[in-house]
Amino acid sequence: MKDFKDLRIVDNFYQTSAFYPMPTILISTVSQNGKTNLGSYSLCFPYYIAGKDYYAMLLEARNSSNTAQNILRTKKATLNFITDDRKNFKEAVRLGFPGETTDEKMKDCKFELVDSEIGADRPKIVKDAFQVFECTWDDSLEDAYKDKEGCLEGYEPPYRNFNGITSKFGAHFILKVDKIWMKEKQYDAIVNGVKGSAFPKVPVDYGYRDSTNFWYTKFRKPIAEQIQAKDGDVNSVIYCAGRIDPNVKFTKEACEKLTKIPRVFLKMALTQMVEIAKSEGITLIDEQALTVINDKRRQEKKK
């Protein structure tokens, strides 16, 4: 460890005690007067990604911010992912400066806003965003519904551990993803196959490195590194496939085509195949049936 120095950990350690790359998004919420408020955030990450009945994002915010106060009141937030256009980012930095009211910061806002299509009570959407998540705060977790707006000078304990008011000046919000919208180019890439040219020009920021500048880097073309898939043992696939459902069987030839599925995902993939087979009236999954099932899986993904 002689090449390293021991750096003191302080508040906001991700930016004051580290170089930590983060996304840059604009979160729209609805203020008390019904106007959409835009706030710039980086501490927003995927939270529930699989195995639950919904998907969610985690937002960390200053609890006195317009965004946090609006979420506490309305439960609604929209995550707008912007590109690395210099003018857009300059405006995002302006919108991220604390202390202004919604009327003050939105008076000369350079982003065009459009109405949501899933509810009149929803925040407006940034038209130039390449990707949008419309979300609802799950305030049932940790009884966070008990936390209310209004304490702009800091909240007193007790505090929540992971959802709601988590400290005197902090808040965490588990945001259920209700709808994902995407511009056509990126949509086509996800549905029909991703290429490097289809990646949006996403800014990566490093937070306030000092009291003067907000640092970020513009997008570079992504580099593809091929996954070195390892062929599993066909006998392992046969063993697992034989225990999914007694009424649906797999041939050895079909199992041989499934050996590249990582073992950790094998049971889940086989279970999905069996469910599709049963819906199609298939009791023996051979190579031909496997083609039909994989086509159905691709169709489900497009939906």
Side-chain angles (χ1 to χ4, degrees), residues 245-251 273-274 276-286 289 293:
D245 190 300
N247 298 316
V248 180
K249 302 296 183 182
F250 287 76
T251 66
M273 292 176 187
V274 167
I276 294 174
K278 292 173 73 173
S279 70
E280 294 292 312
I282 298 172
T283 57
L284 180 65
I285 300 178
D286 54 16
I293 291 169

mmCIF file of all heavy atoms in Angstrom, residues 245-251 273-274 276-286 289 293:
data_model
loop_
_atom_site.group_PDB
_atom_site.id
_atom_site.type_symbol
_atom_site.label_atom_id
_atom_site.label_comp_id
_atom_site.label_asym_id
_atom_site.label_seq_id
_atom_site.Cartn_x
_atom_site.Cartn_y
_atom_site.Cartn_z
ATOM 1 N N ASP A 245 -40.530 -28.813 -14.653
ATOM 2 C CA ASP A 245 -41.946 -29.190 -14.700
ATOM 3 C C ASP A 245 -42.045 -30.626 -15.219
ATOM 4 O O ASP A 245 -41.507 -30.930 -16.294
ATOM 5 C CB ASP A 245 -42.715 -28.228 -15.617
ATOM 6 C CG ASP A 245 -44.222 -28.412 -15.518
ATOM 7 O OD1 ASP A 245 -44.713 -29.528 -15.816
ATOM 8 O OD2 ASP A 245 -44.917 -27.447 -15.151
ATOM 9 N N PRO A 246 -42.734 -31.487 -14.501
ATOM 10 C CA PRO A 246 -42.816 -32.898 -14.925
ATOM 11 C C PRO A 246 -43.569 -33.100 -16.231
ATOM 12 O O PRO A 246 -43.439 -34.150 -16.870
ATOM 13 C CB PRO A 246 -43.554 -33.577 -13.751
ATOM 14 C CG PRO A 246 -44.319 -32.477 -13.094
ATOM 15 C CD PRO A 246 -43.479 -31.253 -13.251
ATOM 16 N N ASN A 247 -44.355 -32.096 -16.635
ATOM 17 C CA ASN A 247 -45.172 -32.246 -17.843
ATOM 18 C C ASN A 247 -44.519 -31.657 -19.091
ATOM 19 O O ASN A 247 -45.072 -31.767 -20.181
ATOM 20 C CB ASN A 247 -46.536 -31.585 -17.630
ATOM 21 C CG ASN A 247 -47.320 -32.234 -16.503
ATOM 22 O OD1 ASN A 247 -47.368 -33.464 -16.397
ATOM 23 N ND2 ASN A 247 -47.921 -31.410 -15.651
ATOM 24 N N VAL A 248 -43.370 -31.027 -18.929
ATOM 25 C CA VAL A 248 -42.657 -30.457 -20.078
ATOM 26 C C VAL A 248 -41.219 -30.963 -20.058
ATOM 27 O O VAL A 248 -40.488 -30.741 -19.097
ATOM 28 C CB VAL A 248 -42.673 -28.908 -20.047
ATOM 29 C CG1 VAL A 248 -41.911 -28.353 -21.251
ATOM 30 C CG2 VAL A 248 -44.105 -28.385 -20.036
ATOM 31 N N LYS A 249 -40.811 -31.635 -21.136
ATOM 32 C CA LYS A 249 -39.479 -32.216 -21.209
ATOM 33 C C LYS A 249 -38.632 -31.504 -22.266
ATOM 34 O O LYS A 249 -39.148 -30.921 -23.213
ATOM 35 C CB LYS A 249 -39.574 -33.720 -21.562
ATOM 36 C CG LYS A 249 -40.411 -34.542 -20.576
ATOM 37 C CD LYS A 249 -39.791 -34.550 -19.181
ATOM 38 C CE LYS A 249 -40.587 -35.436 -18.228
ATOM 39 N NZ LYS A 249 -40.026 -35.410 -16.856
ATOM 40 N N PHE A 250 -37.306 -31.575 -22.098
ATOM 41 C CA PHE A 250 -36.345 -31.026 -23.056
ATOM 42 C C PHE A 250 -35.573 -32.186 -23.689
ATOM 43 O O PHE A 250 -35.162 -33.127 -22.990
ATOM 44 C CB PHE A 250 -35.337 -30.112 -22.352
ATOM 45 C CG PHE A 250 -35.882 -28.788 -21.904
ATOM 46 C CD1 PHE A 250 -36.689 -28.699 -20.779
ATOM 47 C CD2 PHE A 250 -35.559 -27.613 -22.592
ATOM 48 C CE1 PHE A 250 -37.165 -27.471 -20.344
ATOM 49 C CE2 PHE A 250 -36.037 -26.382 -22.162
ATOM 50 C CZ PHE A 250 -36.846 -26.302 -21.042
ATOM 51 N N THR A 251 -35.346 -32.110 -25.007
ATOM 52 C CA THR A 251 -34.482 -33.100 -25.646
ATOM 53 C C THR A 251 -33.020 -32.736 -25.388
ATOM 54 O O THR A 251 -32.703 -31.589 -25.052
ATOM 55 C CB THR A 251 -34.726 -33.153 -27.163
ATOM 56 O OG1 THR A 251 -34.315 -31.913 -27.757
ATOM 57 C CG2 THR A 251 -36.193 -33.425 -27.476
ATOM 58 N N MET A 273 -38.955 -20.573 -20.339
ATOM 59 C CA MET A 273 -39.197 -21.382 -21.537
ATOM 60 C C MET A 273 -40.333 -22.367 -21.313
ATOM 61 O O MET A 273 -41.185 -22.563 -22.189
ATOM 62 C CB MET A 273 -37.922 -22.130 -21.921
ATOM 63 C CG MET A 273 -36.808 -21.234 -22.421
ATOM 64 S SD MET A 273 -35.304 -22.187 -22.753
ATOM 65 C CE MET A 273 -34.152 -20.866 -23.106
ATOM 66 N N VAL A 274 -40.377 -22.974 -20.152
ATOM 67 C CA VAL A 274 -41.435 -23.936 -19.844
ATOM 68 C C VAL A 274 -42.786 -23.239 -19.782
ATOM 69 O O VAL A 274 -43.796 -23.769 -20.278
ATOM 70 C CB VAL A 274 -41.126 -24.666 -18.516
ATOM 71 C CG1 VAL A 274 -42.359 -25.425 -18.020
ATOM 72 C CG2 VAL A 274 -39.961 -25.627 -18.693
ATOM 73 N N ILE A 276 -43.714 -20.582 -21.421
ATOM 74 C CA ILE A 276 -44.131 -20.283 -22.797
ATOM 75 C C ILE A 276 -44.569 -21.566 -23.498
ATOM 76 O O ILE A 276 -45.581 -21.577 -24.228
ATOM 77 C CB ILE A 276 -42.986 -19.614 -23.572
ATOM 78 C CG1 ILE A 276 -42.688 -18.235 -22.981
ATOM 79 C CG2 ILE A 276 -43.318 -19.489 -25.063
ATOM 80 C CD1 ILE A 276 -41.476 -17.554 -23.579
ATOM 81 N N ALA A 277 -43.831 -22.645 -23.280
ATOM 82 C CA ALA A 277 -44.179 -23.936 -23.901
ATOM 83 C C ALA A 277 -45.587 -24.374 -23.490
ATOM 84 O O ALA A 277 -46.391 -24.801 -24.326
ATOM 85 C CB ALA A 277 -43.158 -25.001 -23.509
ATOM 86 N N LYS A 278 -45.908 -24.245 -22.221
ATOM 87 C CA LYS A 278 -47.231 -24.651 -21.736
ATOM 88 C C LYS A 278 -48.323 -23.775 -22.329
ATOM 89 O O LYS A 278 -49.403 -24.267 -22.666
ATOM 90 C CB LYS A 278 -47.256 -24.602 -20.205
ATOM 91 C CG LYS A 278 -46.361 -25.652 -19.564
ATOM 92 C CD LYS A 278 -46.261 -25.500 -18.055
ATOM 93 C CE LYS A 278 -47.537 -25.937 -17.372
ATOM 94 N NZ LYS A 278 -47.393 -25.949 -15.895
ATOM 95 N N SER A 279 -48.034 -22.476 -22.484
ATOM 96 C CA SER A 279 -49.027 -21.581 -23.090
ATOM 97 C C SER A 279 -49.250 -21.900 -24.558
ATOM 98 O O SER A 279 -50.312 -21.602 -25.113
ATOM 99 C CB SER A 279 -48.589 -20.118 -22.926
ATOM 100 O OG SER A 279 -47.464 -19.828 -23.747
ATOM 101 N N GLU A 280 -48.234 -22.507 -25.207
ATOM 102 C CA GLU A 280 -48.331 -22.866 -26.623
ATOM 103 C C GLU A 280 -48.754 -24.323 -26.820
ATOM 104 O O GLU A 280 -48.812 -24.816 -27.949
ATOM 105 C CB GLU A 280 -46.977 -22.635 -27.306
ATOM 106 C CG GLU A 280 -46.536 -21.183 -27.369
ATOM 107 C CD GLU A 280 -47.407 -20.355 -28.289
ATOM 108 O OE1 GLU A 280 -47.664 -20.794 -29.424
ATOM 109 O OE2 GLU A 280 -47.840 -19.265 -27.859
ATOM 110 N N GLY A 281 -49.009 -25.025 -25.727
ATOM 111 C CA GLY A 281 -49.408 -26.433 -25.821
ATOM 112 C C GLY A 281 -48.269 -27.364 -26.163
ATOM 113 O O GLY A 281 -48.487 -28.477 -26.674
ATOM 114 N N ILE A 282 -47.038 -26.969 -25.882
ATOM 115 C CA ILE A 282 -45.850 -27.776 -26.181
ATOM 116 C C ILE A 282 -45.460 -28.579 -24.939
ATOM 117 O O ILE A 282 -45.298 -28.022 -23.849
ATOM 118 C CB ILE A 282 -44.666 -26.879 -26.610
ATOM 119 C CG1 ILE A 282 -45.020 -26.120 -27.894
ATOM 120 C CG2 ILE A 282 -43.398 -27.712 -26.802
ATOM 121 C CD1 ILE A 282 -43.991 -25.063 -28.278
ATOM 122 N N THR A 283 -45.319 -29.884 -25.112
ATOM 123 C CA THR A 283 -44.924 -30.727 -23.979
ATOM 124 C C THR A 283 -43.508 -31.275 -24.145
ATOM 125 O O THR A 283 -42.924 -31.761 -23.177
ATOM 126 C CB THR A 283 -45.900 -31.907 -23.827
ATOM 127 O OG1 THR A 283 -45.944 -32.656 -25.064
ATOM 128 C CG2 THR A 283 -47.301 -31.407 -23.484
ATOM 129 N N LEU A 284 -42.960 -31.201 -25.350
ATOM 130 C CA LEU A 284 -41.590 -31.643 -25.598
ATOM 131 C C LEU A 284 -40.843 -30.511 -26.301
ATOM 132 O O LEU A 284 -41.184 -30.141 -27.425
ATOM 133 C CB LEU A 284 -41.551 -32.905 -26.458
ATOM 134 C CG LEU A 284 -40.145 -33.429 -26.772
ATOM 135 C CD1 LEU A 284 -39.426 -33.887 -25.493
ATOM 136 C CD2 LEU A 284 -40.190 -34.554 -27.806
ATOM 137 N N ILE A 285 -39.827 -29.977 -25.630
ATOM 138 C CA ILE A 285 -39.052 -28.885 -26.202
ATOM 139 C C ILE A 285 -37.848 -29.460 -26.944
ATOM 140 O O ILE A 285 -36.853 -29.854 -26.342
ATOM 141 C CB ILE A 285 -38.593 -27.895 -25.115
ATOM 142 C CG1 ILE A 285 -39.813 -27.299 -24.389
ATOM 143 C CG2 ILE A 285 -37.745 -26.781 -25.727
ATOM 144 C CD1 ILE A 285 -39.477 -26.339 -23.270
ATOM 145 N N ASP A 286 -37.998 -29.561 -28.282
ATOM 146 C CA ASP A 286 -36.889 -29.977 -29.116
ATOM 147 C C ASP A 286 -36.318 -28.734 -29.808
ATOM 148 O O ASP A 286 -36.669 -27.605 -29.456
ATOM 149 C CB ASP A 286 -37.336 -31.028 -30.135
ATOM 150 C CG ASP A 286 -38.520 -30.573 -30.977
ATOM 151 O OD1 ASP A 286 -38.815 -29.348 -30.992
ATOM 152 O OD2 ASP A 286 -39.158 -31.417 -31.618
ATOM 153 N N ALA A 289 -39.107 -26.582 -31.389
ATOM 154 C CA ALA A 289 -39.911 -25.903 -30.372
ATOM 155 C C ALA A 289 -39.110 -24.796 -29.695
ATOM 156 O O ALA A 289 -39.647 -23.743 -29.349
ATOM 157 C CB ALA A 289 -40.395 -26.918 -29.338
ATOM 158 N N ILE A 293 -40.125 -20.903 -29.062
ATOM 159 C CA ILE A 293 -40.105 -20.318 -27.715
ATOM 160 C C ILE A 293 -39.209 -19.090 -27.673
ATOM 161 O O ILE A 293 -39.563 -18.060 -27.077
ATOM 162 C CB ILE A 293 -39.641 -21.376 -26.693
ATOM 163 C CG1 ILE A 293 -40.722 -22.458 -26.548
ATOM 164 C CG2 ILE A 293 -39.317 -20.735 -25.347
ATOM 165 C CD1 ILE A 293 -40.275 -23.682 -25.767
#
